[in-house]
Amino acid sequence: MPLIILHLGLGSFHRAHQAVYLQKLIDQGDTTWQIAGGNLRPDMADTIAALQAQGGAYTLETVSPAGERFYERITAIRRIVPYTPDLAGLIDIGADAATRIISFTVTEAGYYLDDQNRLDDSFADLASDLAGSTRSTIYGAMAAILAERRRRDAGPVTLLNCDNLRGNGERFRAGFLDFLARRGETALHAWVEQHTSSPNDMVDRITPRPLPDIAPRVKVATGVDDGAPVMGERFIQWVIEDHFINGRPAWEKAGAEMVASVLPYEEAKIRILNASHSCFAWAGTLLGYQYIHEDVAHPAIRRMAFDYVTNDVIPSLESSQKPYPLDLAAYRDVVIDRFSNPYLLDTNQRVAMDGYAKIAGFLWPTFRECLARGASIAAVAKLPALFFEFLGRWHRGELSYTYHDQGMDVAAAHAIFDSADPLAAFSRDPVLWGPLAGDARLVAALQQAHAEVKSFLKENGHG
């Protein structure tokens, strides 16, 4: 009987990343593990239906910066669970003794954590889950799954966070235990502490939302009429702390890096790749571009991202650990080259989303460390200054696309721009800045960076 990984969140990223690593093992003849999965909310209905009709199989298209396309059939996901509000299908699989890992991708904003790793229950969906009325967050869903697993005495299970969240395993675990404590789930809290582990990991592959033209390309290349194809760049990386409580696939045989600590890898990835990705998306949107590769081709935008990494991020990281285990300048150059891939057609809309969580998750550490060293924060301040202008466009209804931000209080964000001094209100926002909110050094840097962003926009005909 195969062992099971239950995955919560069957979006494009999981299907182009974690499922691919398991597929490599299957292709090598190791059929010990398979994936079952579904979503916690009633989204992606057409994709889920197509995956069900195809028995969980789909085609992955990867494309290099030179335009070389490669197609592979992914069959690692063997069971697709249709959405129901009670999550009964997911609970049943998660409580099965054959399920040894529960993994999840719910986006950075889906954890509702403050800078102390405590839950922010001001969000209606989290408050509803805390009250036991719904199971729409990762915490409510996991509580229901593990309560049933405990009832069945199904054994230990690893809870594997695969989102771009610093210390993602530890932070999820802290939020989840806080969730259980607030609900008074004393027995389940104790069971989770004893019978689960939550390793940190770092995931990386640019995976745009599939566009309508991918299915016809798949048909021409493979002869398969695929209702749920997915695409990604050729590059792929997965670094995982080897801290599994009840077994795991031999992912190292598929190219994953199993390590004692993921910290230096994830810090470089989050601060260099994820933050600069957002820089390109916010700046490119402000200039009217649609795709990330268009943003990278603009010299002034490319310079902003390059300077942010070179002037503020690399010195901060290198001061934290000597020697640093990665060549950070080389990593920077690889990242920007990956972003320049014109064949991915990765949209600014996809990358720009969830800015509130990204300011806190991607930028706070560099601000703090530069300030602690007495160093300039001029380069890193450009990124929130871009987001401020971006958010102002959203406030005025001037964005060319719908902006999604799970971590944003819509009324509070509008209030920033209805105030007498929007930039000052922005710099005092505790959700965005936590303990840095209102810091005089931050305020001054944002004022200067905003002036430079306004000049940049004017020079490019968007002032």
Side-chain angles (χ1 to χ4, degrees):
M1 180 178 178
L3 301 177
I4 299 169
I5 301 169
L6 172 63
H7 188 80
L8 309 177
L10 287 182
S12 297
F13 184 75
H14 170 72
R15 293 188 294 124
H17 191 274
Q18 296 97 48
V20 174
Y21 279 91
L22 189 59
Q23 185 66 44
K24 290 180 180 179
L25 290 181
I26 293 170
D27 292 344
Q28 293 170 18
D30 183 350
T31 58
T32 307
W33 294 80
Q34 61 181 234
I35 298 170
N39 288 349
L40 304 183
R41 301 189 181 193
D43 52 7
M44 294 174 51
D46 291 345
T47 300
I48 295 297
L51 287 169
Q52 272 193 287
Q54 295 170 188
Y58 58 94
T59 304
L60 169 67
E61 176 193 69
T62 56
V63 59
S64 74
E68 304 158 315
R69 297 184 189 271
F70 178 74
Y71 297 88
E72 57 186 313
R73 195 70 174 164
I74 306 299
T75 61
I77 304 175
R78 299 299 173 88
R79 183 172 174 186
I80 303 295
V81 182
Y83 171 80
T84 59
D86 62 4
L87 306 183
L90 297 175
I91 291 169
D92 184 59
I93 297 172
D96 189 325
T99 298
R100 304 297 178 84
I101 298 169
I102 302 174
S103 58
F104 39 97
T105 44
V106 299
T107 82
E108 298 88 354
Y111 295 93
Y112 311 100
L113 295 169
D114 64 19
D115 61 309
Q116 301 298 317
N117 291 338
R118 292 185 300 250
L119 294 178
D120 181 352
D121 59 9
S122 65
F123 294 94
D125 49 358
L126 178 60
S128 179
D129 276 21
L130 279 166
S133 304
T134 52
R135 296 168 175 172
S136 65
T137 71
I138 185 61
Y139 303 116
M142 196 68 77
I145 292 168
L146 296 185
E148 179 63 14
R149 188 177 184 91
R150 173 175 172 265
R151 190 189 71 79
R152 295 188 196 179
D153 193 22
V157 64
T158 298
L159 311 178
L160 183 62
N161 187 339
C162 297
D163 276 312
N164 286 318
L165 194 72
R166 180 178 285 98
N168 58 3
E170 295 171 14
R171 295 196 71 201
F172 160 75
R173 190 175 188 84
F176 185 43
L177 291 173
D178 185 14
F179 180 89
L180 295 177
R182 294 192 196 198
R183 291 220 304 200
E185 301 258 17
T186 306
L188 183 56
H189 189 289
W191 186 92
V192 168
E193 287 191 302
Q194 184 177 354
H195 293 89
T196 69
S197 66
S198 303
N200 297 314
D201 66 334
M202 186 273 277
V203 296
D204 193 6
R205 176 173 246 177
I206 298 172
T207 309
R209 288 194 183 97
L211 297 173
D213 61 352
I214 183 176
R217 280 202 308 274
V218 167
K219 172 68 172 175
V220 169
T222 69
V224 175
D225 281 312
D226 197 318
V230 66
M231 71 177 301
E233 65 172 332
R234 188 67 53 88
F235 180 94
I236 189 169
Q237 185 179 25
W238 197 6
V239 184
I240 317 168
E241 290 179 355
D242 203 353
H243 180 46
F244 290 75
I245 200 169
N246 198 6
R248 63 166 178 82
W251 282 311
E252 64 273 23
K253 295 181 180 178
E257 300 170 74
M258 308 303 300
V259 300
S261 173
V262 78
L263 181 62
Y265 301 90
E266 75 176 3
E267 282 299 317
K269 193 252 180 172
I270 287 172
R271 298 201 210 183
I272 295 176
L273 185 144
N274 294 121
S276 60
H277 215 182
S278 297
C279 174
F280 283 118
W282 295 330
T285 296
L286 293 173
L287 293 192
Y289 296 140
Q290 183 177 0
Y291 298 112
I292 293 293
H293 73 270
E294 296 175 313
D295 315 333
V296 179
H298 192 286
I301 299 177
R302 190 183 184 111
R303 173 56 60 182
M304 273 190 264
F306 184 91
D307 287 349
Y308 152 71
V309 175
T310 305
N311 298 347
D312 291 359
V313 174
I314 290 178
S316 294
L317 291 176
E318 289 182 339
S319 68
S320 69
Q321 184 172 340
K322 295 183 183 297
Y324 207 80
L326 301 174
D327 182 333
L328 295 171
Y331 181 65
R332 172 202 61 206
D333 296 342
V334 167
V335 162
I336 293 176
D337 181 60
R338 289 166 59 195
F339 291 163
S340 70
N341 187 332
Y343 302 97
L344 288 173
L345 295 178
D346 198 9
T347 64
N348 287 327
Q349 180 179 14
R350 183 190 79 84
V351 179
M353 67 187 291
D354 291 330
Y356 267 73
K358 290 171 178 176
I359 295 290
F362 300 169
L363 301 181
W364 275 7
T366 300
F367 273 105
R368 285 197 301 261
E369 289 161 19
C370 286
L371 291 172
R373 299 196 324 272
S376 169
I377 54 173
V380 65
K382 286 278 187 67
L383 276 65
L386 288 168
F387 180 63
F388 173 78
E389 277 297 308
F390 174 94
L391 203 60
R393 296 265 184 98
W394 163 82
H395 165 73
R396 296 186 296 273
E398 296 172 359
L399 287 181
S400 60
Y401 52 76
T402 301
Y403 175 60
H404 298 284
D405 196 326
Q406 290 190 60
M408 178 176 69
D409 181 317
V410 171
H414 280 305
I416 287 174
F417 294 93
D418 289 331
S419 67
D421 188 341
L423 186 60
F426 179 82
S427 67
R428 292 194 302 265
D429 189 310
V431 176
L432 284 166
W433 299 108
L436 286 176
D439 185 295
R441 297 165 297 177
L442 171 68
V443 173
L446 285 177
Q447 288 173 339
Q448 179 61 37
H450 182 239
E452 293 174 9
V453 165
K454 292 289 284 184
S455 177
F456 153 75
L457 294 174
K458 186 174 181 180
E459 288 169 3
N460 288 276
H462 291 268

